[in-house]
Amino acid sequence: MAGQDTRTGSVSVFADREEATRHLADWLLQLATEKTEGPFAIALSGGSTPQSLYSLMATEPYASRFPWARMQFFLGDDRFLPHDHEDSNFGMMQRLLFSRVPVPAENLHPMPGIGTAEDAARSYETRLKQFYGADTFEADRPLFDVNLLGLGSDGHTASLFPGQPVLKEQTAWVATCVPPAAPYTRITLTYPAIHASRHVVFLVEGAGKKEAVAKVRAQDPSCPASAITAMGDLRWVLDRAASPDA
Ligand code: 6PG
């Protein structure tokens, strides 16, 4: 696999959010149905941007065409909260997608929201290693088929926030983060775990993100997302408002 980063990754710009969302749903459906061997593992992002995608995936024709029984759903990050809390990413996904499609409960892999945050990160790492079938990554064998990421206007992605110790983590697959400028303690995949993806996709929408997109594509070191790489390929899915080139 070639491997790509935020500079070399491909960029697709769509007229608006709806078009960008529909493109991504169609692409995910194609990938998931084309993969005939083994599970299709996808890590989902939280926040507001992907919510229209999750809602769309729960409507026809997607709801009856996704191979839900073969899909394994993980999270890129979550706020360390009980899943029924209104700001839980997993709770949001349950409401918009998982409760509305025939995905087996055992195919859902939420980050724990109770106990201690450190224990939650450790147990999620154990779950990922069990799924992967090894404790260290093999150069050409990804953990995730798709890793869906968002982007904050400060250049954070998942819960990899500026200036946080987690940015230096090169061994653990999952870590905690207490962002000074965002609510709640977080559990997040680390750079090495995100790298272990066949496809990394940034879904970014709105004029408020245009500057961050430009910085991250230029690999500005002040933006944690600039260091994101993919074992396979990386792609940007943008609406025109978020595109620096539009
Ligand atoms: C989270 C996310 C986070 C998100 C960005 C963008 O838990 O909040 O995973 O990384 O993707 O903050 O958020 P918006 O899509 O709401 O702008």
Side-chain angles (χ1 to χ4, degrees):
M1 271 180 269
Q4 283 192 318
D5 59 31
T6 56
R7 186 195 303 271
T8 58
S10 64
V11 181
S12 303
V13 180
F14 297 90
D16 55 30
R17 296 173 182 231
E18 201 184 337
E19 262 196 45
T21 301
R22 190 164 294 282
H23 161 79
L24 202 45
D26 290 341
W27 180 71
L28 288 174
L29 178 60
Q30 182 195 348
L31 279 184
T33 47
E34 278 174 2
K35 185 174 183 186
T36 50
E37 276 184 38
F40 183 82
I42 179 166
L44 298 179
S45 70
S48 58
T49 303
Q51 296 191 16
S52 51
L53 172 68
Y54 304 152
S55 297
L56 183 64
M57 290 169 71
T59 64
E60 293 306 334
Y62 304 102
S64 54
R65 293 186 55 203
F66 268 106
W68 304 107
R70 273 194 308 103
M71 298 179 75
Q72 298 284 337
F73 289 94
F74 297 89
L75 273 75
D77 75 315
D78 209 336
R79 300 83 184 264
F80 185 59
L81 296 165
H83 297 151
D84 59 1
H85 188 285
E86 62 179 357
D87 292 333
S88 160
N89 283 336
F90 182 71
M92 172 266 287
M93 295 165 190
Q94 278 276 58
R95 286 192 301 279
L96 298 178
L97 178 58
F98 302 143
S99 63
R100 301 165 61 192
V101 296
V103 60
E106 61 271 21
N107 291 20
L108 305 181
H109 306 281
M111 292 176 164
I114 54 173
T116 72
E118 207 40 61
D119 287 349
R122 296 287 64 71
S123 77
Y124 203 66
E125 180 159 326
T126 302
R127 181 181 285 231
L128 290 175
K129 288 179 175 176
Q130 280 164 350
F131 178 76
Y132 189 63
D135 288 346
T136 54
F137 291 120
E138 293 156 26
D140 258 353
R141 185 166 73 91
L143 166 60
F144 303 111
D145 291 280
V146 173
N147 208 310
L148 179 62
L149 295 173
L151 183 65
S153 52
D154 62 355
H156 82 265
T157 190
S159 280
L160 302 171
F161 282 86
Q164 298 308 302
V166 63
L167 302 184
K168 295 198 170 49
E169 184 55 66
Q170 286 303 321
T171 310
W173 296 13
V174 186
T176 62
C177 180
V178 185
Y184 313 117
T185 295
R186 309 292 182 105
I187 313 291
T188 185
L189 296 181
T190 59
Y191 287 125
I194 294 172
H195 174 76
S197 304
R198 191 176 302 283
H199 308 282
V200 167
V201 190
F202 281 100
L203 174 62
V204 189
E205 297 166 351
K209 301 289 179 68
K210 185 185 279 207
E211 193 187 334
V213 171
K215 283 183 171 177
V216 173
R217 286 185 58 208
Q219 296 189 326
D220 178 327
S222 69
C223 299
S226 296
I228 292 289
T229 58
M231 201 180 266
D233 63 40
L234 186 145
R235 56 191 65 209
W236 293 90
V237 175
L238 310 173
D239 69 356
R240 194 164 290 140
S243 170
D245 310 326

PDB file of all heavy atoms in Angstrom, residues 44 51 53-59 63 66 68 71 73 90-103 108:
ATOM      1  N   LEU A  44     -15.871   5.535  13.103  1.00  0.00           N
ATOM      2  CA  LEU A  44     -16.699   6.705  12.829  1.00  0.00           C
ATOM      3  C   LEU A  44     -16.257   7.898  13.648  1.00  0.00           C
ATOM      4  O   LEU A  44     -15.764   7.749  14.770  1.00  0.00           O
ATOM      5  CB  LEU A  44     -18.167   6.395  13.133  1.00  0.00           C
ATOM      6  CG  LEU A  44     -18.819   5.281  12.320  1.00  0.00           C
ATOM      7  CD1 LEU A  44     -20.280   5.097  12.763  1.00  0.00           C
ATOM      8  CD2 LEU A  44     -18.747   5.575  10.825  1.00  0.00           C
ATOM      9  N   GLN A  51     -23.242  13.839  11.154  1.00  0.00           N
ATOM     10  CA  GLN A  51     -24.593  13.411  11.551  1.00  0.00           C
ATOM     11  C   GLN A  51     -25.512  13.239  10.348  1.00  0.00           C
ATOM     12  O   GLN A  51     -26.307  12.285  10.304  1.00  0.00           O
ATOM     13  CB  GLN A  51     -25.158  14.375  12.595  1.00  0.00           C
ATOM     14  CG  GLN A  51     -24.331  14.357  13.887  1.00  0.00           C
ATOM     15  CD  GLN A  51     -24.972  15.077  15.044  1.00  0.00           C
ATOM     16  OE1 GLN A  51     -26.158  15.364  15.040  1.00  0.00           O
ATOM     17  NE2 GLN A  51     -24.154  15.356  16.069  1.00  0.00           N
ATOM     18  N   LEU A  53     -24.651  12.276   7.450  1.00  0.00           N
ATOM     19  CA  LEU A  53     -24.262  11.017   6.806  1.00  0.00           C
ATOM     20  C   LEU A  53     -24.896   9.830   7.522  1.00  0.00           C
ATOM     21  O   LEU A  53     -25.460   8.929   6.892  1.00  0.00           O
ATOM     22  CB  LEU A  53     -22.734  10.866   6.819  1.00  0.00           C
ATOM     23  CG  LEU A  53     -22.183   9.522   6.361  1.00  0.00           C
ATOM     24  CD1 LEU A  53     -22.430   9.290   4.874  1.00  0.00           C
ATOM     25  CD2 LEU A  53     -20.691   9.400   6.688  1.00  0.00           C
ATOM     26  N   TYR A  54     -24.825   9.813   8.856  1.00  0.00           N
ATOM     27  CA  TYR A  54     -25.393   8.698   9.618  1.00  0.00           C
ATOM     28  C   TYR A  54     -26.918   8.619   9.387  1.00  0.00           C
ATOM     29  O   TYR A  54     -27.468   7.527   9.200  1.00  0.00           O
ATOM     30  CB  TYR A  54     -25.068   8.846  11.107  1.00  0.00           C
ATOM     31  CG  TYR A  54     -23.583   8.963  11.392  1.00  0.00           C
ATOM     32  CD1 TYR A  54     -23.123   9.657  12.503  1.00  0.00           C
ATOM     33  CD2 TYR A  54     -22.641   8.411  10.538  1.00  0.00           C
ATOM     34  CE1 TYR A  54     -21.754   9.792  12.762  1.00  0.00           C
ATOM     35  CE2 TYR A  54     -21.274   8.541  10.779  1.00  0.00           C
ATOM     36  CZ  TYR A  54     -20.844   9.222  11.887  1.00  0.00           C
ATOM     37  OH  TYR A  54     -19.492   9.366  12.121  1.00  0.00           O
ATOM     38  N   SER A  55     -27.547   9.784   9.359  1.00  0.00           N
ATOM     39  CA  SER A  55     -29.007   9.792   9.104  1.00  0.00           C
ATOM     40  C   SER A  55     -29.308   9.258   7.714  1.00  0.00           C
ATOM     41  O   SER A  55     -30.240   8.467   7.533  1.00  0.00           O
ATOM     42  CB  SER A  55     -29.545  11.218   9.235  1.00  0.00           C
ATOM     43  OG  SER A  55     -29.363  11.695  10.538  1.00  0.00           O
ATOM     44  N   LEU A  56     -28.487   9.662   6.738  1.00  0.00           N
ATOM     45  CA  LEU A  56     -28.712   9.211   5.355  1.00  0.00           C
ATOM     46  C   LEU A  56     -28.522   7.697   5.231  1.00  0.00           C
ATOM     47  O   LEU A  56     -29.302   7.009   4.575  1.00  0.00           O
ATOM     48  CB  LEU A  56     -27.762   9.935   4.408  1.00  0.00           C
ATOM     49  CG  LEU A  56     -27.908   9.647   2.925  1.00  0.00           C
ATOM     50  CD1 LEU A  56     -29.272  10.102   2.394  1.00  0.00           C
ATOM     51  CD2 LEU A  56     -26.771  10.313   2.132  1.00  0.00           C
ATOM     52  N   MET A  57     -27.516   7.150   5.900  1.00  0.00           N
ATOM     53  CA  MET A  57     -27.252   5.710   5.835  1.00  0.00           C
ATOM     54  C   MET A  57     -28.411   4.898   6.405  1.00  0.00           C
ATOM     55  O   MET A  57     -28.572   3.720   6.083  1.00  0.00           O
ATOM     56  CB  MET A  57     -25.960   5.371   6.584  1.00  0.00           C
ATOM     57  CG  MET A  57     -24.695   5.856   5.907  1.00  0.00           C
ATOM     58  SD  MET A  57     -23.228   5.721   6.971  1.00  0.00           S
ATOM     59  CE  MET A  57     -22.976   3.936   7.017  1.00  0.00           C
ATOM     60  N   ALA A  58     -29.231   5.549   7.245  1.00  0.00           N
ATOM     61  CA  ALA A  58     -30.386   4.854   7.842  1.00  0.00           C
ATOM     62  C   ALA A  58     -31.638   4.971   6.989  1.00  0.00           C
ATOM     63  O   ALA A  58     -32.707   4.479   7.384  1.00  0.00           O
ATOM     64  CB  ALA A  58     -30.645   5.424   9.239  1.00  0.00           C
ATOM     65  N   THR A  59     -31.521   5.629   5.815  1.00  0.00           N
ATOM     66  CA  THR A  59     -32.680   5.749   4.915  1.00  0.00           C
ATOM     67  C   THR A  59     -32.446   4.909   3.649  1.00  0.00           C
ATOM     68  O   THR A  59     -31.329   4.460   3.386  1.00  0.00           O
ATOM     69  CB  THR A  59     -32.868   7.226   4.491  1.00  0.00           C
ATOM     70  OG1 THR A  59     -31.714   7.622   3.719  1.00  0.00           O
ATOM     71  CG2 THR A  59     -33.005   8.155   5.690  1.00  0.00           C
ATOM     72  N   ALA A  63     -30.259   1.851   3.725  1.00  0.00           N
ATOM     73  CA  ALA A  63     -30.609   1.007   4.875  1.00  0.00           C
ATOM     74  C   ALA A  63     -30.776  -0.458   4.471  1.00  0.00           C
ATOM     75  O   ALA A  63     -30.413  -1.364   5.226  1.00  0.00           O
ATOM     76  CB  ALA A  63     -31.894   1.520   5.524  1.00  0.00           C
ATOM     77  N   PHE A  66     -26.696  -1.740   2.671  1.00  0.00           N
ATOM     78  CA  PHE A  66     -25.435  -1.944   3.389  1.00  0.00           C
ATOM     79  C   PHE A  66     -25.402  -3.367   3.961  1.00  0.00           C
ATOM     80  O   PHE A  66     -26.403  -3.853   4.482  1.00  0.00           O
ATOM     81  CB  PHE A  66     -25.271  -0.930   4.527  1.00  0.00           C
ATOM     82  CG  PHE A  66     -24.545   0.318   4.131  1.00  0.00           C
ATOM     83  CD1 PHE A  66     -25.225   1.520   3.957  1.00  0.00           C
ATOM     84  CD2 PHE A  66     -23.171   0.308   3.940  1.00  0.00           C
ATOM     85  CE1 PHE A  66     -24.553   2.684   3.590  1.00  0.00           C
ATOM     86  CE2 PHE A  66     -22.485   1.460   3.566  1.00  0.00           C
ATOM     87  CZ  PHE A  66     -23.175   2.660   3.396  1.00  0.00           C
ATOM     88  N   TRP A  68     -24.947  -4.884   6.710  1.00  0.00           N
ATOM     89  CA  TRP A  68     -24.798  -4.608   8.145  1.00  0.00           C
ATOM     90  C   TRP A  68     -24.213  -5.793   8.908  1.00  0.00           C
ATOM     91  O   TRP A  68     -23.419  -5.604   9.833  1.00  0.00           O
ATOM     92  CB  TRP A  68     -26.149  -4.212   8.743  1.00  0.00           C
ATOM     93  CG  TRP A  68     -26.781  -3.037   8.058  1.00  0.00           C
ATOM     94  CD1 TRP A  68     -27.873  -3.068   7.219  1.00  0.00           C
ATOM     95  CD2 TRP A  68     -26.373  -1.657   8.112  1.00  0.00           C
ATOM     96  NE1 TRP A  68     -28.162  -1.803   6.740  1.00  0.00           N
ATOM     97  CE2 TRP A  68     -27.248  -0.925   7.279  1.00  0.00           C
ATOM     98  CE3 TRP A  68     -25.339  -0.989   8.764  1.00  0.00           C
ATOM     99  CZ2 TRP A  68     -27.131   0.451   7.084  1.00  0.00           C
ATOM    100  CZ3 TRP A  68     -25.224   0.390   8.593  1.00  0.00           C
ATOM    101  CH2 TRP A  68     -26.112   1.098   7.765  1.00  0.00           C
ATOM    102  N   MET A  71     -20.498  -5.660   8.826  1.00  0.00           N
ATOM    103  CA  MET A  71     -19.844  -4.391   9.165  1.00  0.00           C
ATOM    104  C   MET A  71     -19.551  -4.309  10.670  1.00  0.00           C
ATOM    105  O   MET A  71     -20.414  -4.657  11.487  1.00  0.00           O
ATOM    106  CB  MET A  71     -20.712  -3.216   8.718  1.00  0.00           C
ATOM    107  CG  MET A  71     -20.913  -3.186   7.209  1.00  0.00           C
ATOM    108  SD  MET A  71     -21.948  -1.819   6.661  1.00  0.00           S
ATOM    109  CE  MET A  71     -20.816  -0.439   6.816  1.00  0.00           C
ATOM    110  N   PHE A  73     -18.408  -1.666  13.581  1.00  0.00           N
ATOM    111  CA  PHE A  73     -18.373  -0.222  13.814  1.00  0.00           C
ATOM    112  C   PHE A  73     -17.569   0.119  15.069  1.00  0.00           C
ATOM    113  O   PHE A  73     -17.915  -0.305  16.179  1.00  0.00           O
ATOM    114  CB  PHE A  73     -19.785   0.329  13.941  1.00  0.00           C
ATOM    115  CG  PHE A  73     -20.540   0.346  12.646  1.00  0.00           C
ATOM    116  CD1 PHE A  73     -21.371  -0.714  12.292  1.00  0.00           C
ATOM    117  CD2 PHE A  73     -20.404   1.414  11.772  1.00  0.00           C
ATOM    118  CE1 PHE A  73     -22.066  -0.698  11.083  1.00  0.00           C
ATOM    119  CE2 PHE A  73     -21.100   1.443  10.564  1.00  0.00           C
ATOM    120  CZ  PHE A  73     -21.926   0.374  10.219  1.00  0.00           C
ATOM    121  N   PHE A  90     -21.221   8.028  20.766  1.00  0.00           N
ATOM    122  CA  PHE A  90     -21.865   6.739  20.507  1.00  0.00           C
ATOM    123  C   PHE A  90     -23.381   6.877  20.642  1.00  0.00           C
ATOM    124  O   PHE A  90     -24.147   6.344  19.828  1.00  0.00           O
ATOM    125  CB  PHE A  90     -21.353   5.649  21.446  1.00  0.00           C
ATOM    126  CG  PHE A  90     -21.973   4.302  21.153  1.00  0.00           C
ATOM    127  CD1 PHE A  90     -21.624   3.611  20.008  1.00  0.00           C
ATOM    128  CD2 PHE A  90     -22.925   3.761  21.996  1.00  0.00           C
ATOM    129  CE1 PHE A  90     -22.212   2.384  19.702  1.00  0.00           C
ATOM    130  CE2 PHE A  90     -23.513   2.531  21.708  1.00  0.00           C
ATOM    131  CZ  PHE A  90     -23.159   1.841  20.558  1.00  0.00           C
ATOM    132  N   GLY A  91     -23.814   7.658  21.644  1.00  0.00           N
ATOM    133  CA  GLY A  91     -25.248   7.889  21.820  1.00  0.00           C
ATOM    134  C   GLY A  91     -25.861   8.528  20.575  1.00  0.00           C
ATOM    135  O   GLY A  91     -26.948   8.145  20.129  1.00  0.00           O
ATOM    136  N   MET A  92     -25.156   9.490  20.014  1.00  0.00           N
ATOM    137  CA  MET A  92     -25.623  10.153  18.786  1.00  0.00           C
ATOM    138  C   MET A  92     -25.748   9.157  17.635  1.00  0.00           C
ATOM    139  O   MET A  92     -26.738   9.135  16.896  1.00  0.00           O
ATOM    140  CB  MET A  92     -24.633  11.284  18.428  1.00  0.00           C
ATOM    141  CG  MET A  92     -24.846  11.954  17.106  1.00  0.00           C
ATOM    142  SD  MET A  92     -23.835  11.191  15.788  1.00  0.00           S
ATOM    143  CE  MET A  92     -22.198  11.774  16.217  1.00  0.00           C
ATOM    144  N   MET A  93     -24.751   8.275  17.500  1.00  0.00           N
ATOM    145  CA  MET A  93     -24.765   7.275  16.426  1.00  0.00           C
ATOM    146  C   MET A  93     -25.896   6.257  16.639  1.00  0.00           C
ATOM    147  O   MET A  93     -26.516   5.803  15.682  1.00  0.00           O
ATOM    148  CB  MET A  93     -23.409   6.560  16.368  1.00  0.00           C
ATOM    149  CG  MET A  93     -22.272   7.470  15.974  1.00  0.00           C
ATOM    150  SD  MET A  93     -20.677   6.726  16.336  1.00  0.00           S
ATOM    151  CE  MET A  93     -19.591   8.131  16.059  1.00  0.00           C
ATOM    152  N   GLN A  94     -26.131   5.938  17.897  1.00  0.00           N
ATOM    153  CA  GLN A  94     -27.251   5.028  18.203  1.00  0.00           C
ATOM    154  C   GLN A  94     -28.564   5.649  17.725  1.00  0.00           C
ATOM    155  O   GLN A  94     -29.352   5.008  17.064  1.00  0.00           O
ATOM    156  CB  GLN A  94     -27.344   4.817  19.725  1.00  0.00           C
ATOM    157  CG  GLN A  94     -26.405   3.789  20.294  1.00  0.00           C
ATOM    158  CD  GLN A  94     -26.950   2.386  20.176  1.00  0.00           C
ATOM    159  OE1 GLN A  94     -27.239   1.932  19.059  1.00  0.00           O
ATOM    160  NE2 GLN A  94     -27.059   1.679  21.286  1.00  0.00           N
ATOM    161  N   ARG A  95     -28.770   6.901  18.065  1.00  0.00           N
ATOM    162  CA  ARG A  95     -30.023   7.585  17.725  1.00  0.00           C
ATOM    163  C   ARG A  95     -30.200   7.708  16.207  1.00  0.00           C
ATOM    164  O   ARG A  95     -31.271   7.405  15.672  1.00  0.00           O
ATOM    165  CB  ARG A  95     -30.051   9.001  18.332  1.00  0.00           C
ATOM    166  CG  ARG A  95     -30.282   9.074  19.818  1.00  0.00           C
ATOM    167  CD  ARG A  95     -30.578  10.508  20.267  1.00  0.00           C
ATOM    168  NE  ARG A  95     -29.515  11.452  19.946  1.00  0.00           N
ATOM    169  CZ  ARG A  95     -28.408  11.603  20.682  1.00  0.00           C
ATOM    170  NH1 ARG A  95     -28.212  10.839  21.754  1.00  0.00           N
ATOM    171  NH2 ARG A  95     -27.478  12.500  20.353  1.00  0.00           N
ATOM    172  N   LEU A  96     -29.121   8.117  15.515  1.00  0.00           N
ATOM    173  CA  LEU A  96     -29.256   8.463  14.091  1.00  0.00           C
ATOM    174  C   LEU A  96     -29.110   7.258  13.162  1.00  0.00           C
ATOM    175  O   LEU A  96     -29.646   7.281  12.041  1.00  0.00           O
ATOM    176  CB  LEU A  96     -28.192   9.506  13.711  1.00  0.00           C
ATOM    177  CG  LEU A  96     -28.268  10.846  14.430  1.00  0.00           C
ATOM    178  CD1 LEU A  96     -27.118  11.750  13.984  1.00  0.00           C
ATOM    179  CD2 LEU A  96     -29.615  11.514  14.175  1.00  0.00           C
ATOM    180  N   LEU A  97     -28.371   6.243  13.619  1.00  0.00           N
ATOM    181  CA  LEU A  97     -28.066   5.139  12.696  1.00  0.00           C
ATOM    182  C   LEU A  97     -28.344   3.759  13.295  1.00  0.00           C
ATOM    183  O   LEU A  97     -29.230   3.046  12.835  1.00  0.00           O
ATOM    184  CB  LEU A  97     -26.593   5.227  12.270  1.00  0.00           C
ATOM    185  CG  LEU A  97     -26.052   4.142  11.354  1.00  0.00           C
ATOM    186  CD1 LEU A  97     -26.822   4.055  10.051  1.00  0.00           C
ATOM    187  CD2 LEU A  97     -24.556   4.363  11.087  1.00  0.00           C
ATOM    188  N   PHE A  98     -27.611   3.368  14.320  1.00  0.00           N
ATOM    189  CA  PHE A  98     -27.620   1.975  14.772  1.00  0.00           C
ATOM    190  C   PHE A  98     -29.014   1.496  15.210  1.00  0.00           C
ATOM    191  O   PHE A  98     -29.353   0.322  15.023  1.00  0.00           O
ATOM    192  CB  PHE A  98     -26.614   1.766  15.897  1.00  0.00           C
ATOM    193  CG  PHE A  98     -25.193   2.120  15.541  1.00  0.00           C
ATOM    194  CD1 PHE A  98     -24.369   2.711  16.494  1.00  0.00           C
ATOM    195  CD2 PHE A  98     -24.689   1.878  14.278  1.00  0.00           C
ATOM    196  CE1 PHE A  98     -23.055   3.045  16.164  1.00  0.00           C
ATOM    197  CE2 PHE A  98     -23.377   2.214  13.953  1.00  0.00           C
ATOM    198  CZ  PHE A  98     -22.561   2.804  14.899  1.00  0.00           C
ATOM    199  N   SER A  99     -29.826   2.409  15.791  1.00  0.00           N
ATOM    200  CA  SER A  99     -31.169   1.978  16.253  1.00  0.00           C
ATOM    201  C   SER A  99     -32.141   1.864  15.084  1.00  0.00           C
ATOM    202  O   SER A  99     -33.274   1.399  15.261  1.00  0.00           O
ATOM    203  CB  SER A  99     -31.707   3.011  17.258  1.00  0.00           C
ATOM    204  OG  SER A  99     -31.857   4.278  16.597  1.00  0.00           O
ATOM    205  N   ARG A 100     -31.701   2.256  13.879  1.00  0.00           N
ATOM    206  CA  ARG A 100     -32.630   2.303  12.750  1.00  0.00           C
ATOM    207  C   ARG A 100     -32.265   1.350  11.628  1.00  0.00           C
ATOM    208  O   ARG A 100     -32.914   1.366  10.561  1.00  0.00           O
ATOM    209  CB  ARG A 100     -32.694   3.734  12.230  1.00  0.00           C
ATOM    210  CG  ARG A 100     -33.148   4.720  13.323  1.00  0.00           C
ATOM    211  CD  ARG A 100     -32.881   6.159  12.981  1.00  0.00           C
ATOM    212  NE  ARG A 100     -33.585   6.588  11.775  1.00  0.00           N
ATOM    213  CZ  ARG A 100     -33.322   7.748  11.142  1.00  0.00           C
ATOM    214  NH1 ARG A 100     -32.354   8.531  11.607  1.00  0.00           N
ATOM    215  NH2 ARG A 100     -33.978   8.086  10.059  1.00  0.00           N
ATOM    216  N   VAL A 101     -31.200   0.575  11.813  1.00  0.00           N
ATOM    217  CA  VAL A 101     -30.791  -0.388  10.774  1.00  0.00           C
ATOM    218  C   VAL A 101     -30.501  -1.736  11.436  1.00  0.00           C
ATOM    219  O   VAL A 101     -30.199  -1.789  12.634  1.00  0.00           O
ATOM    220  CB  VAL A 101     -29.549   0.115  10.008  1.00  0.00           C
ATOM    221  CG1 VAL A 101     -29.866   1.396   9.238  1.00  0.00           C
ATOM    222  CG2 VAL A 101     -28.355   0.291  10.931  1.00  0.00           C
ATOM    223  N   PRO A 102     -30.557  -2.825  10.654  1.00  0.00           N
ATOM    224  CA  PRO A 102     -30.386  -4.165  11.249  1.00  0.00           C
ATOM    225  C   PRO A 102     -28.919  -4.558  11.473  1.00  0.00           C
ATOM    226  O   PRO A 102     -28.458  -5.588  10.983  1.00  0.00           O
ATOM    227  CB  PRO A 102     -31.058  -5.076  10.219  1.00  0.00           C
ATOM    228  CG  PRO A 102     -30.880  -4.371   8.912  1.00  0.00           C
ATOM    229  CD  PRO A 102     -30.956  -2.889   9.236  1.00  0.00           C
ATOM    230  N   VAL A 103     -28.205  -3.708  12.235  1.00  0.00           N
ATOM    231  CA  VAL A 103     -26.813  -4.066  12.546  1.00  0.00           C
ATOM    232  C   VAL A 103     -26.795  -4.861  13.842  1.00  0.00           C
ATOM    233  O   VAL A 103     -27.386  -4.452  14.834  1.00  0.00           O
ATOM    234  CB  VAL A 103     -25.925  -2.799  12.654  1.00  0.00           C
ATOM    235  CG1 VAL A 103     -26.406  -1.859  13.739  1.00  0.00           C
ATOM    236  CG2 VAL A 103     -24.460  -3.177  12.846  1.00  0.00           C
ATOM    237  N   LEU A 108     -21.143  -3.604  17.175  1.00  0.00           N
ATOM    238  CA  LEU A 108     -20.940  -2.224  17.626  1.00  0.00           C
ATOM    239  C   LEU A 108     -19.889  -2.203  18.730  1.00  0.00           C
ATOM    240  O   LEU A 108     -19.979  -2.973  19.695  1.00  0.00           O
ATOM    241  CB  LEU A 108     -22.262  -1.635  18.141  1.00  0.00           C
ATOM    242  CG  LEU A 108     -23.440  -1.687  17.175  1.00  0.00           C
ATOM    243  CD1 LEU A 108     -24.683  -1.054  17.812  1.00  0.00           C
ATOM    244  CD2 LEU A 108     -23.095  -0.981  15.864  1.00  0.00           C
TER     245      LEU A 108
END
